């Protein structure tokens, strides 16, 4: 962790990252298993008990570590946890993403009801935005809520929802029709067990974690569960993603660092042609490129995080960080698999797991192509 002396960080960040690293080495390194649901539940509880989840929510009155979410802390947490174990990063990230709308736009009553339990690891959170026909094109969503008295009645589906099936509550974005497109969407908290809400399908992905399609049929929730103003749900979703998009880049950075560590270790110990794999210049060039990608990703991640913590708008910087770090990590991990040869594609090897783990980060919270569009649009605005 020799980037911690960079000027992007305060002393509290350095202490936080070192302490979390030591805790993760003792508690979660390479802890995964066949039963991802049980593993995720246990990880959320342990991260909560150890106090780390306080950094995923805002407001000291609601057990948050600070009044506002500190992007650098979130990024450091994800980088450190991802380096040790992907599911630990997932458990941490989803508590933040799933409750992010409440931290950013919730009423005092909503914050008091859900955030302390999220911070303690006693309630699992989920963020339900995507639909079968509305992924990159979020504003095309069909899931709708109509207002009847003091209730909202939800009908429709959400899919690829992380923590689907194990979450205690879901922040669900629905069309409420105040205006066309993105201006007619509102966010509602739906608690597990609410009549009319069901898990329609559990979805298996290449790096297993709890994921599901959700169905709402005449599902009634109190209007008091609406997060943010009527018709402002799209803005709430985008504000939430603004924080967590940079943290996806940070998680990728953690995966890439682990791949580089594994590759260095293997290259220095693998006997080959009377020497070691590391003796060959081709190997050294590969390691150099991996290190270059890791460092350039880290600079982009912590630039975006630092700028956001200074109160600046970081749309372009976050998009650059996400694009570079996720695509870069895929290349670094692929190079590590190559260094391991046959062992690299053997089930259960850390580099084999990383190879599967990284893939979806190039897709979710805005695919690479979406990040390219954002960067291009921001550049053209700056130079108009
Ligand atoms: C593991 C995993 C976990 C997820 N967790 C969640 C979650 O917790 N909550 C949630 O709401 N969603 C979640 N998602 C959904 C995720 O956000 C969507 O998959 C993502 O937004 C892409 O949408 P899509 O899958 O419908 O792909 P599409 O929108 O169909 O896009 C397919 C591809 O088209 C390309 N593309 C997109 N736009 C353009 C363009 N303008 N020009 C050219 N090419 C383009 C990109 O390559 C993109 O990958 C998750 C997804 C995965 C894989």
């Amino acid at each position: 962790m020799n980037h911690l002396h960079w000027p992007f960080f305060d002393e509290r960040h350095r202490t936080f990252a070192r302490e979390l690293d030591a805790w993760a080495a003792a508690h979660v390194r390479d802890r995964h298993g066949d039963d991802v649901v049980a593993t995720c539940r246990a990880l959320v509880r342990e991260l909560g008990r150890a106090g780390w989840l306080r950094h995923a929510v805002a407001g000291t009155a609601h057990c948050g570590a600070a009044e506002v979410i500190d992007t650098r802390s979130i990024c450091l947490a994800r980088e450190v946890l991802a380096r040790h174990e992907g599911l630990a990063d997932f458990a941490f990230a989803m508590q933040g993403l799933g409750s992010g709308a409440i931290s950013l736009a919730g009423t005092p009553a909503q914050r008091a009801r859900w955030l302390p339990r999220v911070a303690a690891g006693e309630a699992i959170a989920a963020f339900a935005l995507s639909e079968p026909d509305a992924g990159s094109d979020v504003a095309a969503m069909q899931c709708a809520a109509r207002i009847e008295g003091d209730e909202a009645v939800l009908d429709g589906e959400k899919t690829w929802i992380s923590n689907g099936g194990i979450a205690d509550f879901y922040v669900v974005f629905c069309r409420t029709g105040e205006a066309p497109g993105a201006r007619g969407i509102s966010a509602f908290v739906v608690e597990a067990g609410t009549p009319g809400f069901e898990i329609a399908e559990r979805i298996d992905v290449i790096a297993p974690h709890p994921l599901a399609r959700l169905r709402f049929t005449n599902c009634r929730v109190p209007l008091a569960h609406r997060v943010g103003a009527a018709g402002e749900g799209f803005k709430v979703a985008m504000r939430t993603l603004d924080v967590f998009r940079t943290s996806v880049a940070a998680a990728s950075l953690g995966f890439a660092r682990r791949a580089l560590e594994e590759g260095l270790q293997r290259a220095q110990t693998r006997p080959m042609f009377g020497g070691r794999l590391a003796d060959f210049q081709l190997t050294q060039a590969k390691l150099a490129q991996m290190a270059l990608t890791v460092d350039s990703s880290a600079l982009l991640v912590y630039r975006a995080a630092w700028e956001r913590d200074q109160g600046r708008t970081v749309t372009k910087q976050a998009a650059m960080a996400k694009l570079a770090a996720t695509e870069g990590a895929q290349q670094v991990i692929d190079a590590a698999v190559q260094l391991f040869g046959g062992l690299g594609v053997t089930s259960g090897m850390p580099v084999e797991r990383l190879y599967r783990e990284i893939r979806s980060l190039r897709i979710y919270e805005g695919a690479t192509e979406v990040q390219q569009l954002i960067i291009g649009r921001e550049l053209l605005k700056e130079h108009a």
Side-chain angles (χ1 to χ4, degrees):
M1 291 209 292
N2 51 15
H3 61 316
L4 288 178
H5 66 275
W6 285 358
F8 296 124
F9 303 114
D10 299 336
E11 214 37 53
R12 68 193 160 100
H13 294 117
R14 299 183 179 109
T15 306
F16 168 73
R18 289 195 186 103
E19 288 179 358
L20 177 58
D21 189 48
W23 182 87
H27 293 88
V28 305
R29 190 160 180 96
D30 295 336
R31 204 180 83 196
H32 44 272
D34 294 337
D35 188 345
V36 282
V37 166
T39 307
C40 281
R41 283 187 197 281
L43 283 167
V44 170
R45 264 197 314 273
E46 288 168 37
L47 285 163
R49 274 192 206 131
W52 305 115
L53 293 177
R54 293 189 308 112
H55 295 270
V57 304
T60 48
H62 308 113
C63 308
E67 289 313 317
V68 292
I69 292 178
D70 182 75
T71 324
R72 287 166 292 173
S73 299
I74 296 255
C75 288
L76 284 168
R78 293 202 62 183
E79 180 193 341
V80 167
L81 291 171
R83 211 178 100 242
H84 287 285
E85 168 54 46
L87 279 181
D89 163 59
F90 170 79
F92 177 89
M94 284 314 304
Q95 290 299 89
L97 181 67
S99 66
I102 301 171
S103 279
L104 293 168
T107 61
Q110 290 168 347
R111 291 158 66 111
R113 179 175 178 136
W114 288 296
L115 296 184
R117 288 193 295 139
V118 171
E122 288 162 5
I124 296 182
F127 175 85
L129 181 67
S130 304
E131 296 182 8
D133 291 325
S136 305
D137 184 7
V138 176
M141 74 170 61
Q142 299 288 313
C143 185
R146 60 180 192 279
I147 309 304
E148 285 185 8
D150 56 0
E151 288 181 326
V153 188
L154 278 62
D155 279 290
E157 285 198 349
K158 293 286 167 185
T159 196
W160 300 300
I161 306 307
S162 298
N163 277 344
I166 72 164
D168 294 286
F169 69 89
Y170 301 73
V171 174
V172 183
F173 296 85
C174 304
R175 182 156 297 292
T176 38
E178 291 77 5
R183 284 173 294 132
I185 290 168
S186 306
F188 298 93
V189 179
V190 179
E191 294 187 325
T194 304
F197 166 49
E198 61 181 324
I199 301 302
E201 181 193 8
R202 303 229 180 212
I203 303 170
D204 288 328
V205 281
I206 53 176
H209 68 256
L211 196 70
R213 181 160 58 90
L214 321 179
R215 185 179 296 134
F216 304 93
T217 316
N218 221 16
C219 173
R220 292 176 176 272
V221 298
L223 209 46
H225 285 200
R226 189 182 61 216
V227 184
E232 297 283 307
F234 188 79
K235 278 193 203 153
V236 172
M238 292 306 122
R239 279 176 67 199
T240 310
L241 290 174
D242 255 1
V243 181
F244 289 96
R245 185 165 285 151
T246 308
S247 83
V248 177
S252 308
L253 175 62
F255 290 142
R257 276 198 201 286
R258 177 69 183 272
L260 176 57
E261 285 165 16
E262 296 284 337
L264 279 165
Q265 166 74 13
R266 179 70 181 163
Q268 287 175 301
T269 51
R270 170 67 166 160
M272 199 179 279
F273 301 112
R276 298 165 314 152
L277 178 57
D279 295 336
F280 302 102
Q281 287 184 335
L282 280 174
T283 308
Q284 291 160 21
K286 192 171 265 135
L287 292 168
Q289 183 57 49
M290 292 163 81
L292 179 62
T293 305
V294 166
D295 272 13
S296 45
S297 299
L299 284 162
L300 285 169
V301 168
Y302 290 109
R303 174 186 70 163
W306 176 78
E307 286 208 30
R308 187 177 180 282
D309 289 340
Q310 307 308 303
R312 303 207 178 105
T313 303
V314 293
T315 310
K316 185 181 75 181
Q317 293 89 330
M320 283 184 168
K322 189 189 182 253
L323 192 159
T326 54
E327 294 291 329
Q330 182 85 66
Q331 288 164 15
V332 171
I333 292 166
D334 188 62
V337 168
Q338 197 72 8
L339 285 170
F340 271 77
L343 262 189
V345 290
T346 305
S347 296
M349 290 296 290
V351 291
E352 180 269 344
R353 281 206 326 278
L354 290 166
Y355 191 79
R356 290 183 287 109
E357 203 89 61
I358 188 60
R359 191 61 187 85
S360 44
L361 280 69
R362 292 168 56 204
I363 296 170
Y364 63 59
E365 293 191 39
T368 292
E369 291 75 7
V370 172
Q371 306 309 326
Q372 286 175 317
L373 290 174
I374 293 171
I375 298 165
R377 190 188 64 209
E378 293 298 313
L379 277 176
L380 291 169
K381 261 201 261 172
E382 285 168 16
H383 294 273

